[in-house]
């Protein structure tokens, strides 16, 4: 399967490399002095929007945005809002609970090598010298220790929306073009994750109803490439007339418009294939149980323990975490910690606990199915066989219990 410990390890290593402790702080302290020492207001300032197309790694799938500020005095810096300190105190706990503190850092342009084949585009912004210097000053202020950290959010406050907001601020507003109508955050995410079905499954499990409402052009700019496309057609007001926001565009690293995304995952290795295989296995066990009128315990224990563990994660994200778009989430209805109780109760024959748990599980799955069918939230396609598998077992146990009670009578 594509989602395994190797992927998790790669992601952790990559994040650690990007956010080595001390790097951001060093830049924040040294770069302002460098600017003041080399020309100041006498130098001409130019500002560009840099867009990196998607890479092949999980954390690169949506692309990346930076702002470039260059002066005649020799300063040439890239400002990046997509960095965080992996070694900060209580990082894992804070990140899990939604306290995702990212930072704005700046690095010399020459120190950032390009990934071969990963397309990067530079758009020179049509700013007056007053506006360009204002942009420079704002960015320099943003990398200072008391300003560098901000609360990152997946779609509303990230490495692309911060530069967009900065451009709007120094230009006094931007006339953005109309882009695709009726698109949702989830649809856009699925476009970028189209060859990464396990990653998309994780997104569809963790993020709820908030991803499924139509979003505006401005909201669509959470994706760096979309921001770049909008900027290429945007205009700003100057001296009573509209002028283009971008005066020049050049490819600074050649590559495909699809980025470096991997080839499509073979169907047998997708979540849908795994979910169907689970459904078939559950159906086979249930058929055998029905024939002998006796439920199997170990299959139920394994199935419900796995479902309960996943349910604990979904419930934590929905009811405890403050991560963006994790609540409300229909998945918390059909995937819940109650399965853990069923995994234990199945070993105790007699009594009313197991039948009550079976009825509760079936009711929850039916309620979630109604929510999905009504369009409240768009499910991942693999949810359908997964929900069916989880429904078959309690239904089988109830049917066996009823049949055995009739035989006794």
């Amino acid at each position: 399967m594509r989602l395994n410990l190797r992927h998790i390890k790669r992601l952790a290593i990559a994040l650690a490399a990007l956010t080595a402790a001390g790097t951001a702080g060093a830049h924040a302290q040294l770069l302002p002095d460098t600017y003041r020492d080399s020309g100041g207001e006498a130098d001409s300032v130019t500002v560009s929007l840099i867009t990196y197309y998607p890479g092949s790694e999980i954390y690169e799938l949506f692309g990346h945005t930076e702002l470039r500020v260059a002066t005649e005095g020799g300063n040439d810096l890239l400002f990046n809002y997509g960095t965080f300190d992996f070694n900060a105190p209580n990082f894992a706990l804070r990140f899990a609970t939604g306290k995702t503190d990212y930072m704005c850092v700046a690095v010399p342009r020459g120190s950032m090598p390009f990934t071969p084949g990963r397309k990067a585009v530079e758009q020179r912004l049509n700013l007056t010298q007053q506006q360009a210097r204002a942009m420079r000053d704002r960015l320099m202020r943003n990398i200072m220790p008391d300003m560098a950290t901000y609360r990152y959010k997946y779609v509303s406050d990230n490495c692309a929306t911060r530069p967009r907001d900065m451009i709007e601020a120094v230009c006094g507003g931007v006339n953005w073009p109309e882009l695709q109508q009726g698109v949702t955050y989830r649809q856009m995410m699925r476009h970028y994750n189209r060859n990464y079905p396990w990653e998309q499954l994780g997104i569809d499990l963790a993020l709820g109803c908030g991803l499924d409402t139509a979003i505006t052009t401005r909201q669509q700019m959470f994706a760096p490439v979309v921001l770049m496309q909008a900027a290429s057609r945007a205009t700003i007001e100057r001296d009573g007339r509209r002028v283009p926001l971008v005066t020049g565009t050049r490819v600074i690293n050649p590559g495909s418009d699809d980025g470096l995304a991997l080839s499509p995952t073979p169907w047998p290795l997708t979540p849908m294939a795994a979910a169907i295989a689970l459904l078939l296995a559950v159906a086979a066990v249930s058929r055998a149980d029905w024939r002998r009128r006796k439920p199997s315990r170990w299959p139920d224990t394994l199935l419900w323990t796995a479902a309960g563990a996943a349910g604990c994660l979904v419930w934590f994200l929905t009811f405890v975490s403050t991560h963006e778009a994790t609540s409300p989430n229909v998945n918390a209805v059909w995937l819940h910690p109650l399965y853990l109780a069923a995994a234990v109760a199945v070993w105790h024959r007699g009594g009313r606990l197991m039948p009550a748990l079976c009825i509760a599980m079936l009711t929850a799955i039916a309620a979630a199915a109604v929510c999905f069918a009504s369009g409240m939230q768009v499910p991942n396609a693999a949810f359908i066989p997964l929900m069916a598998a989880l429904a078959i077992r309690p239904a089988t146990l109830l049917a066996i219990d009823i049949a055995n009670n009739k035989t006794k009578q």
Side-chain angles (χ1 to χ4, degrees), residues 86-370:
F86 194 70
N87 295 312
N90 301 314
F91 172 81
L93 177 61
R94 290 177 60 83
F95 199 95
T97 57
K99 296 177 181 179
T100 47
D101 292 335
Y102 276 54
M103 296 177 291
C104 177
V105 300
V107 296
R109 183 176 182 273
S111 68
M112 295 295 289
F114 292 110
T115 301
R118 185 182 181 187
K119 187 174 181 179
V121 174
E122 179 176 7
Q123 295 170 296
R124 183 167 177 173
L125 300 181
N126 186 13
L127 305 181
T128 65
Q129 278 303 294
Q130 181 180 3
Q131 291 171 333
R133 291 191 177 101
M135 175 77 81
R136 177 198 63 188
D137 294 343
R138 284 171 177 263
L139 289 169
M140 297 306 293
R141 182 72 183 94
N142 273 190
I143 64 173
M144 297 302 290
D146 63 325
M147 290 285 290
T149 301
Y150 73 99
R151 185 58 50 84
Y152 171 90
K153 296 181 180 179
Y154 306 121
V155 294
S156 64
D157 201 351
N158 61 24
C159 73
T161 63
R162 287 258 161 170
R164 176 204 65 194
D165 295 347
M166 187 72 72
I167 293 170
E168 290 176 336
V170 300
C171 292
V174 176
N175 303 306
W176 299 109
E178 286 296 326
L179 299 178
Q180 187 175 355
Q181 298 294 310
V183 69
T184 67
Y185 284 126
R186 198 182 305 273
Q187 289 171 341
M188 292 184 66
M189 290 179 177
R190 287 182 175 178
H191 168 73
Y192 289 102
N193 289 327
R194 59 192 180 278
N195 293 346
Y196 297 74
W198 287 99
E199 285 75 7
Q200 185 58 49
L201 178 71
I203 289 174
D204 288 339
L205 274 173
L207 305 185
C209 306
L211 295 189
D212 296 311
T213 56
I215 56 178
T216 65
T217 290
R218 193 171 181 278
Q219 289 173 314
Q220 293 174 39
M221 296 179 204
F222 84 95
V225 173
V226 176
L227 173 61
M228 179 197 72
Q229 294 170 342
S232 68
R233 295 163 49 196
T235 61
I236 55 178
E237 302 289 337
R238 179 172 299 159
D239 299 327
R241 60 191 181 91
R242 289 190 176 187
V243 297
L245 173 63
V246 173
T247 58
T249 301
R250 67 189 184 104
V251 176
I252 55 179
N253 196 52
S256 168
D257 286 348
D258 290 329
L260 295 179
L262 300 179
S263 57
T265 301
W267 189 85
L269 300 178
T270 63
M272 177 59 82
I276 290 175
L278 176 64
L279 175 60
L280 293 176
V282 167
V285 170
S286 297
R287 185 170 182 267
D289 287 354
W290 173 251
R291 284 184 169 182
R292 62 193 182 97
R293 295 296 193 274
K294 184 179 179 181
S296 301
R297 292 176 175 178
W298 278 112
D300 287 336
T301 299
L302 294 174
L303 176 65
W304 287 336
T305 298
C312 287
L313 176 60
V314 171
W315 272 47
F316 175 84
L317 291 172
T318 303
F319 301 113
V320 179
S321 169
T322 58
H323 277 294
E324 183 177 36
T326 57
S327 181
N329 188 350
V330 172
N331 295 318
V333 177
W334 69 276
L335 204 55
H336 45 73
L338 188 63
Y339 290 110
L340 296 176
V344 175
V346 73
W347 291 90
H348 300 280
R349 293 184 179 181
R352 298 180 180 180
L353 178 58
M354 196 63 229
L357 288 173
C358 288
I359 293 173
M361 289 186 287
L362 286 172
T363 302
I365 293 171
V370 170

